[in-house]
Amino acid sequence: MQERRRKRRWVIAAAAGAVVVALGLALFKPWLLFIDVRVDEQLPTVAASTVGSSPSPERTAPSATAKPTSGSPSTAPAGPVQLAEGRLISHEHATTGTVRIVRQPGGTRVLTLENLDTSNGPDVHVWLSAADVVEGTAGWFTAGSAEHYDPGLIKGNQGNQVYAIPDDVDLSRYRSVDLWCVQFSVSFGAAQLSL
């Protein structure tokens, strides 16, 4: 009788352990750390950087060396114009790459991730954030308490990616780009934007 109870306890403990392991695997998805997803989308080519020459993310001032054409004081650029850029730093996971906000010739705006390299993870989103980037572990959570705009899930953890920014998003409200894991409320990496 006692042997039967001991066996039953062992079976219940083993079943409970299996349930805990299954739930852990479903929630944490640890295999993603070993799987890379590479995305190589076509990035807009910016002829000359306008970083530092624009008074706001929505306007660009003409370059001091630009020559007016047809008697007009300035002309609209023929190609994409860079509005802001930044370099990704590591937070919870080692992260590198460059982020840019670019206005296309038709006026649409995009956020680009260039040469991105980070860990894969569950539910990682690209955020435009009102928070300043803080280095080290102190910066892992700052974006979570700040206003943000979410262009969507990260398309991959490596390569080049482009995300549309709708016309009604006020870029002057956002100081940084954050790769934010929604499931665990932590930053994988972030970049302070320079105008």
Side-chain angles (χ1 to χ4, degrees):
M1 187 71 142
Q2 193 168 5
E3 181 67 29
R4 188 179 286 172
R5 283 184 188 164
R6 193 176 309 146
K7 193 173 187 180
R8 178 181 275 181
R9 284 184 195 147
W10 186 88
V11 169
I12 290 171
V19 168
V20 168
V21 167
L23 284 174
L25 289 173
L27 285 175
F28 296 105
K29 300 177 183 171
W31 60 87
L32 290 178
L33 293 174
F34 306 103
I35 299 171
D36 290 325
V37 177
R38 182 161 196 83
V39 175
D40 281 314
E41 295 182 327
Q42 180 67 41
L43 299 174
T45 303
V46 179
S49 176
T50 58
V51 171
S53 67
S54 61
S56 78
E58 298 301 313
R59 291 188 311 231
T60 57
S63 159
T65 59
K67 296 180 183 175
T69 58
S70 305
S72 66
S74 66
T75 57
V81 174
Q82 180 174 298
L83 302 177
E85 74 174 333
R87 295 252 178 228
L88 287 163
I89 65 165
S90 300
H91 277 159
E92 170 73 24
H93 295 268
T95 301
T96 58
T98 302
V99 301
R100 296 182 202 281
I101 296 177
V102 176
R103 185 176 58 231
Q104 304 280 38
T108 60
R109 300 166 306 170
V110 294
L111 168 67
T112 67
L113 302 179
E114 302 174 30
N115 300 312
L116 173 66
D117 191 8
T118 191
S119 297
N120 202 348
D123 208 16
V124 178
H125 289 241
V126 179
W127 279 8
L128 285 169
S129 174
D132 284 317
V133 174
V134 177
E135 292 190 37
T137 55
W140 290 12
F141 308 102
T142 55
S145 60
E147 179 185 354
H148 67 274
Y149 169 72
D150 184 344
L153 279 167
I154 196 167
K155 297 174 183 178
N157 65 306
Q158 295 181 338
N160 300 320
Q161 303 168 35
V162 180
Y163 299 84
I165 302 173
D167 293 339
D168 61 345
V169 173
D170 181 2
L171 293 177
S172 67
R173 299 170 80 166
Y174 304 109
R175 301 180 194 133
S176 62
V177 172
D178 206 285
L179 304 181
W180 186 258
C181 179
V182 174
Q183 184 172 351
F184 296 106
S185 296
V186 68
S187 171
F188 275 34
Q192 190 75 37
L193 291 172
S194 300
L195 303 177

